[in-house]
Amino acid sequence: MIIAFSVTPLGEGVDVGRAVAAAVRIVRASGLPNRTDAMFTTIEGEWDEVMAVVKDATDAVLAAAPRCSLVLKADIRPGVTNAMTSKVETVERYLAEN
């Protein structure tokens, strides 16, 4: 499964970078394939391992703020691996057809 998620600390002012970095640190330490951009972190793995990372990342934000917003989107396809890369490669292949 692939999960794109965003955790945002609430109630601690406008500078959220330090708390978000703590969450991303958790994701990167997981060893699961992941990618972070300006809006979301995407992670790929089995349900239990991915959800455990999301929980730990959320807990890291809650350690820095009294409240946290979590946005999560999941692509659940049992038996599929390397989808984070292959989905993008497919779109790039179609874009190159012109």
Side-chain angles (χ1 to χ4, degrees), residues 34-49:
N34 66 85
R35 184 176 303 132
T36 299
D37 62 35
M39 296 292 293
F40 286 94
T41 293
T42 305
I43 186 169
E44 184 172 11
E46 297 299 319
W47 179 277
D48 290 339
E49 61 189 358

Side-chain angles (χ1 to χ4, degrees), residues 8-33:
T8 306
L10 302 174
E12 289 299 307
V14 296
D15 184 12
V16 299
R18 189 174 306 278
V20 171
V24 172
R25 198 172 285 117
I26 298 288
V27 173
R28 291 182 179 174
S30 74
L32 296 174

Side-chain angles (χ1 to χ4, degrees), residues 28-88:
R28 291 182 179 174
S30 74
L32 296 174
N34 66 85
R35 184 176 303 132
T36 299
D37 62 35
M39 296 292 293
F40 286 94
T41 293
T42 305
I43 186 169
E44 184 172 11
E46 297 299 319
W47 179 277
D48 290 339
E49 61 189 358
V50 170
M51 290 306 217
V53 172
V54 171
K55 180 187 182 315
D56 291 347
T58 302
D59 289 344
V61 168
L62 285 171
R67 187 173 174 190
C68 174
S69 170
L70 170 64
V71 176
L72 186 142
K73 181 177 180 179
D75 181 355
I76 304 165
R77 279 178 86 183
V80 174
T81 58
N82 198 34
M84 253 175 61
T85 303
S86 64
K87 289 175 83 169
V88 174

Side-chain angles (χ1 to χ4, degrees), residues 86-98:
S86 64
K87 289 175 83 169
V88 174
E89 288 172 349
T90 298
V91 171
E92 290 295 338
R93 188 176 68 246
Y94 287 124
L95 287 169
E97 286 182 351
N98 285 350

